[in-house]
Amino acid sequence: MHETMVAESLLKTISAESTKQNAKPVSAKISCGMLNTVNDEIIRFAFDAIAKGTPCEGMKLEIEHKPIQGKCRNCSETFEFEICRPKCPKCESEQFDLLPDAPLILEEIEFETE
Amino acid sequence: MKKIVDIGKKILIANEEYALKNSQFLAEQKKLCLNMISSPGSGKTTILVRTITELKDKIKIGVIEGDIQTDLDAKRIKATEAPAIQIETGGSCHLSAAQVSNALENLLISTLDLIFIENVGNLVCPSAFELGEWGKIAVLSVAEGDDKPAKYPAIFAKSKVLLINKIDLLEAGTQVDFDIERAKADASKLNKDIAIFPVSARTGKGMAEWYNWLEESVKNIRG
Ligand SMILES: Nc1nc2c(ncn2[C@@H]2O[C@H](COP(=O)(O)OP(=O)(O)OP(=O)(O)O)[C@@H](O)[C@H]2O)c(=O)[nH]1
Ligand SMILES: [Mg+2]
Ligand SMILES: [Zn+2]
């Protein structure tokens, strides 16, 4: 259940930014790679629970999952890896490497200002 | 009025900072560190106990044990006379780099060649938390099914070695239908460089290739 830890870290960063901006946060965009094992529903649930009574209460979280990238050893093409079709789309080679998965990132926060 | 502020900050940065510190420390000390990840009960502790015992004269091994509760696994390691440190995560599904940093300070690193970290039994979450290890070892037992690399790609994509354990069950005529070739093919699709060793930690079959890989890796790290 590391979504709780992710939610806590998010709340901390967003709260600090909220104080700095002196504004109420209404939503945030998060991105992560497909191999990153976070579940959207659980993160939202955990975040809602710990945000109660803070300026972050009621915030919307938008979560984008970025595809895994493969790089062909034969023709150097970079492509979106699909587990059901593990081949280079350009030269059909099965010799490719998976590039490092995108990390979990807090991309942006939307605030409401007077 | 609405206002959008760009942040672009890694959410798990605190863990990454500890992981970096651990890997720098291990590199300076020239010690090999391996993070073992699998579902509960695939045989991680049994593999470690046999490995420690059979390599006793060649490689000095220490173990950091992660479990949600109890120090049972650390006790099994200590029975071999190898040093072991238990981390009880108290509900958390993975070890964190900060916990490992602490444990590394309490192991007598200078007396060791190789530090194993046995992560909490969980095929999913531990793969998202770097601990500062040199490599990950995935363990899959034949009782779990040969479709696991396809269903849980993250850990197989990131591991240096896949140990397919409990192969004695296939030979014992038990009703386990695990297709080793399928698991190998699926894991290799995700990871061209993964070394795959089918083993039985119970009978010792196949362990020699695993030991060769360990000895080579220890040598390379020592430089
Ligand atoms: N038949 C057979 N049984 C095995 C083998 N390796 C381990 N076992 C059994 O599998 C069970 C679980 O083994 P452990 O070594 O405790 O597994 P683990 O992965 O450390 O378990 P957790 O730490 O709880 O995740 C024990 O009953 C072992 O005796 C094997 O190669 N063959
Ligand atoms: Mg164990
Ligand atoms: Zn290609």
Side-chain angles (χ1 to χ4, degrees), chain A residues 79-94:
Chain A
F79 57 93
E80 281 185 19
F81 169 78
E82 283 170 85
I83 196 145
C84 52
R85 196 184 173 285
K87 270 183 193 161
C88 168
K90 201 168 152 196
C91 75
E92 300 280 311
S93 166
E94 290 187 5

Side-chain angles (χ1 to χ4, degrees), chain A residues 1-2 5 9 17 21 35 37 73 83 86 94-96 98 104-113, chain B residues 1-12 93-94 124-125 128-129 150 154 189-190 192-193:
Chain A
M1 274 313 201
H2 62 273
M5 181 179 151
S9 171
E17 192 63 30
Q21 300 285 338
L35 292 184
T37 52
R73 285 188 181 181
I83 196 145
E94 290 187 5
Q95 296 303 314
F96 59 84
L98 292 187
L104 252 168
I105 288 179
L106 171 59
E107 302 277 3
E108 57 179 49
I109 310 171
E110 189 184 350
F111 291 97
E112 207 159 61
T113 53
Chain B
M1 273 251 300
K2 291 198 169 155
K3 172 178 169 192
I4 291 175
V5 177
D6 276 336
I7 306 290
K9 191 180 161 198
K10 285 187 188 172
I11 297 170
L12 300 177
C93 51
H94 62 275
V124 181
C125 309
F129 292 85
K189 274 177 204 161
L190 294 164
K192 290 285 162 302
D193 299 318

Side-chain angles (χ1 to χ4, degrees), chain B residues 61-215:
Chain B
I61 299 176
V63 181
I64 298 171
E65 279 288 345
D67 280 290
I68 290 182
Q69 246 149 43
T70 80
D71 62 349
L72 293 172
D73 281 0
K75 283 189 176 139
R76 286 166 65 191
I77 300 294
K78 282 181 186 158
T80 69
E81 289 171 10
I85 292 195
Q86 182 77 48
I87 299 170
E88 284 183 51
T89 65
S92 178
C93 51
H94 62 275
L95 283 172
S96 73
Q99 289 168 323
V100 168
S101 165
N102 223 338
L104 283 173
E105 281 171 23
N106 292 307
L107 266 182
L108 278 174
I109 295 287
S110 59
T111 62
L112 303 171
D113 305 308
L114 164 58
I115 297 104
F116 273 111
I117 302 167
E118 179 181 335
N119 219 310
V120 178
N122 180 325
L123 203 50
V124 181
C125 309
S127 69
F129 292 85
E130 297 295 326
L131 302 179
E133 73 274 10
W134 178 78
K136 294 181 179 59
I137 310 293
V139 183
L140 175 63
S141 71
V142 299
E144 295 164 60
D146 51 22
D147 57 358
K148 293 301 165 290
K151 282 188 182 167
Y152 300 86
I155 179 58
F156 301 96
K158 292 178 183 171
S159 291
K160 288 220 160 51
V161 171
L162 165 60
L163 293 173
I164 301 178
N165 190 33
K166 308 195 189 182
I167 54 167
D168 56 293
L169 293 178
L170 299 176
E171 286 151 16
T174 40
Q175 285 166 329
V176 178
D177 51 350
F178 184 102
D179 183 347
I180 289 188
E181 293 312 315
R182 173 179 177 196
K184 274 187 176 174
D186 283 356
S188 302
K189 274 177 204 161
L190 294 164
N191 183 343
K192 290 285 162 302
D193 299 318
I194 194 166
I196 304 177
F197 305 118
V199 299
S200 167
R202 170 156 297 175
T203 67
K205 190 167 179 188
M207 296 291 280
E209 283 82 27
W210 159 239
Y211 298 155
N212 285 340
W213 185 90
L214 284 177
E215 284 182 54

Side-chain angles (χ1 to χ4, degrees), chain B residues 2 18 34 45 50 57 60 114 145:
Chain B
K2 291 198 169 155
Y18 272 106
L34 299 170
T45 311
R50 188 178 265 276
D57 301 327
K60 295 290 169 228
L114 164 58

Side-chain angles (χ1 to χ4, degrees), chain A:
Chain A
M1 274 313 201
H2 62 273
E3 281 85 353
T4 316
M5 181 179 151
V6 171
E8 278 165 4
S9 171
L10 274 174
L11 184 70
K12 216 169 121 193
T13 311
I14 298 173
S15 299
E17 192 63 30
S18 165
T19 310
K20 196 169 128 195
Q21 300 285 338
N22 192 22
K24 185 183 160 30
V26 286
S27 69
K29 263 192 202 155
I30 298 157
S31 71
C32 67
M34 292 289 249
L35 292 184
N36 235 301
T37 52
V38 292
N39 177 287
D40 297 8
E41 293 315 308
I42 300 176
I43 285 202
R44 290 199 179 99
F45 183 82
F47 188 83
D48 283 351
I50 59 173
K52 281 236 166 67
T54 78
C56 296
E57 182 167 350
M59 268 186 81
K60 268 202 206 122
L61 299 183
E62 197 181 306
I63 304 159
E64 181 200 356
H65 294 267
K66 295 187 174 161
I68 314 165
Q69 303 281 322
K71 186 171 194 314
C72 181
R73 285 188 181 181
N74 181 45
C75 74
S76 298
E77 173 86 351
T78 305
F79 57 93
E80 281 185 19
F81 169 78
E82 283 170 85
I83 196 145
C84 52
R85 196 184 173 285
K87 270 183 193 161
C88 168
K90 201 168 152 196
C91 75
E92 300 280 311
S93 166
E94 290 187 5
Q95 296 303 314
F96 59 84
D97 296 299
L98 292 187
L99 299 180
D101 201 31
L104 252 168
I105 288 179
L106 171 59
E107 302 277 3
E108 57 179 49
I109 310 171
E110 189 184 350
F111 291 97
E112 207 159 61
T113 53
E114 308 312 276

